[in-house]
Amino acid sequence: EAGVTQFPSHSVIEKGQTVTLRCDPISGHDNLYWYRRVMGKEIKFLLHFVKESKQDESGMPNNRFLAERTGGTYSTLKVQPAELEDSGVYFCASSRQGGDTQYFGPGTRLTVL
Amino acid sequence: KQEVTQIPAALSVPEGENLVLNCSFTDSAIYNLQWFRQDPGKGLTSLLLIQSSQREQTSGRLNASLDKSSGRSTLYIAASQPGDSATYLCAVTIDSWGKLQFGAGTQVVVTP
């Protein structure tokens, strides 16, 4: 069984540009989560999908962040326009049911210059 | 508001010693608690999940305890090996949908 994959592994962009991160969960996992670790801080929850629906987006920092999960499969997280404080590592995780063990991807390291 | 704390932030032990990692949380209303391991440049690997009704969970050399009333969990790693060197993260599930709240982690180095 393939694990959670994320693309790209690393992205370097300039302030004001747009970046789209992608996450492919484990097949059959209805629950998909996005988390972020900003330098020196704990990993923080961003949002949670159940299939294609947003169950909880309380952790999204502001309206420059847009997440989608079309068809309930892979998910994208778009940052537009990117700001310096968006730099960090973005993790995606999936689980079969809510509250189950979450399986994490390797993360996307985003650097905004 | 839930806060998760891990002490110490870093730990170095000689090979063969037992490791004891601590996690504390301020709100006992959790669904479960998970311990993760993170290697440099890699994602998080789930080690153990303890349901809120359980007191401990074991897997091989790993044993995790949970005292919900006092807001504490401890991860024990027996007979540490250099391959155990990693950052260990504790996270509590704060709602039924699986939302995790993480501690900052303990960076462990096991010296040969």
Side-chain angles (χ1 to χ4, degrees), chain A residues 3-10 20-26 32-36 46 74-77 88-94 103-110, chain B residues 38 41-44:
Chain A
V4 177
T5 57
Q6 292 187 245
F7 183 83
S9 58
H10 194 179
T20 300
L21 314 181
R22 173 172 169 143
C23 168
D24 286 77
I26 293 172
L32 187 150
Y33 307 82
W34 284 97
Y35 295 88
R36 176 174 78 168
L46 295 178
Y74 70 91
S75 173
T76 57
L77 180 64
V89 181
Y90 290 76
F91 291 103
C92 173
S94 72
Y103 296 89
F104 278 73
T108 293
R109 181 174 295 278
L110 174 64
Chain B
Q38 184 178 23
K42 301 281 181 66
L44 281 64

Side-chain angles (χ1 to χ4, degrees), chain A residues 33 37 45 55 58 99 101-102 105, chain B residues 32 38 43 46 97-99 104:
Chain A
Y33 307 82
R37 175 179 245 165
F45 169 86
Q55 171 61 33
S58 61
T101 297
Q102 291 182 28
Chain B
N32 58 46
Q38 184 178 23
S46 180
W97 292 103
K99 182 188 222 176

Side-chain angles (χ1 to χ4, degrees), chain A residues 31 33 35 37 41-45 48 50 55-56 58-59 91 97-107, chain B residues 1 4 32 34 36 38 41-46 49 51 87 89 93 95-105:
Chain A
N31 293 271
Y33 307 82
Y35 295 88
R37 175 179 245 165
K41 300 281 184 70
E42 297 87 358
I43 296 172
K44 291 218 185 280
F45 169 86
H48 169 216
V50 179
Q55 171 61 33
D56 181 352
S58 61
F91 291 103
Q97 294 185 8
D100 281 357
T101 297
Q102 291 182 28
Y103 296 89
F104 278 73
Chain B
K1 182 190 168 202
V4 182
N32 58 46
Q34 294 183 58
F36 293 89
Q38 184 178 23
K42 301 281 181 66
L44 281 64
T45 301
S46 180
L49 182 151
Q51 298 294 350
T87 296
L89 295 152
T93 302
D95 68 21
S96 60
W97 292 103
K99 182 188 222 176
L100 293 175
Q101 182 137 355
F102 282 86

